[in-house]
């Protein structure tokens, strides 16, 4: 009887140990899979230039002031911009209006902000027109007037101001002063996104993701989120969530351009895709090449335990050829 109890107890202990080991192995497997699949979405395309609409048709003197503003030297920017605005420079007038509105370099004063924006807009400067649209929409320094907001946003948008284009999209999307029109919102977001607006890229991605005013297209949503991701943490978060839930799979061409610019994060992502065979043939040697270029030491060490000497040498050779072909150019 004692032996029977011992055997039963041993079986119970063995089964519990087995379950525990299985759970530990499954946990490590999940962690390993998450680590292997991880991609870095914060990758900037060096050719993706986003000239600020503040600089449109700016005189050399106005450019000098704007650069101080961009360096956040607001006091000096205001000090230099005010006499330039008083002399009639429309870009400086719009900037002074913006600084009064935000209280940067001067005391906040929405009424003065509106006056300076109006002076700029009367000279047909898109900067002033955009600021007037903003003030009318929010009721800053003037009563709220959606019709006037749309008018001035439209004038600035026609001159290529992507801030105005995006905000027009917002007004049509939300029905601010107009009937809700998701198709028009989409069109304005698309114009603004193509002109460089990060907000519009994220807005456009959201419309593709949810099928709001356009047919659902998760790959298109992911591409727009990807273009906004280096500048917008919400876009990065959406990409991470979409990728983790397998709502899209990126292809190597997403990262190849940045890889040719010498971007280590792009190298790393290409290594992950090659290792897992995501939209490209599974190739551990090619993955090793990309990880060598990215100097991803943990990935390199792990693959070196799996590859033979000839494969390692081949991967190193491929990395050298890539560097000679692209990085040194």
């Amino acid at each position: 009887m004692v032996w029977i109890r011992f055997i039963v107890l041993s079986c119970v202990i063995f089964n519990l140990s087995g379950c525990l080991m299985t759970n530990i192995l499954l946990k490590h497997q999940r962690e390993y899979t998450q680590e292997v699949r991880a991609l870095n979405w914060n990758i900037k395309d060096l050719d993706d230039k986003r000239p600020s609409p503040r600089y449109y048709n700016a005189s050399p003197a106005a450019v000098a002031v704007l650069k101080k503003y961009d360096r956040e030297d607001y006091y000096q920017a205001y000090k230099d911009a005010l006499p330039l605005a008083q002399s009639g420079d429309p870009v400086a007038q719009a900037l002074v209006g913006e600084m009064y509105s935000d209280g940067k370099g001067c005391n906040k004063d929405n009424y003065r902000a509106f006056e300076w924006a109006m002076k700029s807009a009367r000279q047909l400067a898109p900067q002033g027109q955009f600021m007037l649209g903003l003030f009318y929409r929010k009721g800053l320094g003037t009563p709220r007037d959606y019709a006037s907001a749309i008018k001035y946003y439209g004038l600035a948008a026609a001159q290529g101001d992507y801030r105005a284009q995006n905000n027009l999209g917002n007004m049509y999307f939300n029905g601010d002063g107009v009937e809700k029109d998701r198709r028009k919102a989409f069109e304005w977001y698309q114009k603004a996104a193509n002109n460089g607006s990060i907000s519009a890229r994220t807005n456009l991605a959201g419309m593709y993701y949810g099928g709001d005013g356009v047919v659902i297209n998760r790959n298109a949503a992911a591409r727009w989120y990807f273009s906004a991701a280096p500048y917008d943490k919400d876009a990065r978060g959406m990409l991470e969530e979409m990728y983790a839930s397998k709502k899209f799979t990126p292809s190597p061409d997403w990262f190849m351009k940045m890889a040719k610019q010498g971007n280590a994060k792009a190298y790393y992502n290409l290594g992950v895709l090659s290792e897992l065979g995501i939209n490209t043939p599974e190739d551990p040697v090619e993955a090793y090449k990309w990880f060598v270029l990215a100097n991803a030491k943990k990935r390199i060490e792990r693959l070196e335990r799996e590859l033979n000497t000839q494969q390692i040498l081949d991967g190193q050779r491929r990395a050298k050829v890539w560097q000679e072909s692209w990085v040194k150019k």
Side-chain angles (χ1 to χ4, degrees):
M1 197 67 176
V2 174
W3 282 104
I4 293 174
R5 289 179 179 175
F6 175 76
I7 291 170
V8 172
L9 182 60
S10 297
C11 289
V12 171
I13 293 171
F14 177 78
N15 287 333
L16 288 173
S17 299
C19 289
L20 181 61
M21 287 302 297
T22 300
N23 287 335
I24 291 172
L25 288 172
L26 287 173
K27 179 183 177 184
H28 285 317
Q29 180 63 32
R30 286 194 298 269
E31 291 174 349
Y32 170 77
T33 302
Q34 291 169 357
E35 187 271 334
V36 165
R37 285 183 58 83
L39 294 177
N40 193 316
W41 300 110
N42 189 7
I43 305 177
K44 288 185 180 181
D45 179 357
L46 299 181
D47 294 331
D48 183 21
K49 305 297 184 184
R50 299 186 305 111
S52 170
R54 292 188 183 93
Y55 285 83
Y56 291 174
N57 300 319
S59 66
V63 168
V65 172
L66 287 165
K67 286 182 176 179
K68 292 176 183 177
Y69 180 88
D70 289 341
R71 292 196 300 268
E72 299 184 3
D73 185 1
Y74 299 129
Y75 175 77
Q76 191 61 48
Y78 171 78
K79 185 178 178 181
D80 293 346
L82 186 59
L84 189 60
Q86 290 169 335
S87 72
D89 187 297
V91 175
Q93 289 171 340
L95 181 62
V96 169
E98 184 174 354
M99 295 182 81
Y100 271 124
S101 175
D102 296 334
K104 292 180 176 178
C106 57
N107 293 326
K108 185 178 179 70
D109 189 328
N110 286 328
Y111 295 102
R112 286 188 178 181
F114 181 83
E115 289 172 359
W116 280 112
M118 180 62 78
K119 289 179 180 180
S120 175
R122 283 172 178 162
Q123 297 194 64
L124 307 183
Q127 296 91 333
Q129 292 167 344
F130 165 74
M131 293 305 300
L132 275 187
L134 187 68
F135 294 153
Y136 275 121
R137 184 185 178 193
K138 293 186 175 181
L140 299 176
T142 186
R144 176 172 287 171
D145 184 342
Y146 286 135
S148 293
I150 290 173
K151 170 187 172 182
Y152 284 104
Y153 276 152
L155 291 171
Q159 296 193 66
D161 190 309
Y162 61 67
R163 300 171 300 176
Q165 292 168 343
N166 179 67
N167 285 7
L168 273 175
N170 289 338
M171 294 190 75
Y172 279 108
F173 188 91
N174 296 317
D176 291 338
V178 293
E179 288 188 20
K180 285 186 180 181
D181 190 329
R182 298 299 166 81
R183 172 51 56 181
K184 281 189 177 181
F186 177 84
E187 290 171 357
W188 280 116
Y189 286 150
Q190 195 166 45
K191 288 181 181 180
N194 288 330
N195 284 333
S197 169
I198 299 305
S199 296
R201 293 177 186 182
T202 302
N203 290 335
L204 198 60
M207 294 189 78
Y208 273 121
Y209 182 84
D212 204 348
V214 66
V215 176
I216 289 176
N217 187 332
R218 295 291 165 76
N219 284 328
R223 286 305 298 258
W224 281 113
Y225 278 134
F226 180 59
S227 69
Y231 316 94
D232 184 342
K233 66 179 181 180
D234 291 333
R236 289 198 296 276
M238 280 300 300
L239 273 175
E240 290 167 1
E241 186 276 326
M242 289 177 70
Y243 181 61
S245 58
K246 299 182 180 179
K247 291 178 180 175
F248 83 101
T249 53
S251 61
D253 69 282
W254 283 38
F255 312 112
M256 193 61 71
K257 182 179 181 183
M258 281 77 91
K260 291 176 181 179
Q261 296 171 353
N263 190 302
K265 295 175 183 177
Y267 295 152
Y268 183 89
N269 287 356
L270 287 167
V272 171
L273 299 187
S274 295
E275 184 177 6
L276 298 177
I278 298 176
N279 288 327
T280 189
E282 187 176 324
D283 187 342
V285 177
E286 186 70 3
Y288 182 78
K289 169 192 112 175
W290 292 118
F291 291 140
V292 167
L293 289 166
N295 194 28
K297 294 179 180 179
K298 288 185 178 180
R299 293 295 187 115
I300 292 169
E301 291 171 359
R302 183 165 55 76
L303 280 176
E304 284 180 345
R305 291 194 294 269
E306 301 174 6
L307 301 175
N308 60 41
T309 302
Q310 186 57 46
Q311 289 175 315
I312 291 171
L313 291 174
D314 187 22
Q316 292 172 346
R317 179 189 61 78
R318 294 185 193 184
K320 183 178 180 182
V321 169
W322 175 272
Q323 286 182 315
E324 291 174 348
S325 299
W326 295 105
V327 178
K328 293 182 180 179
K329 285 188 176 182

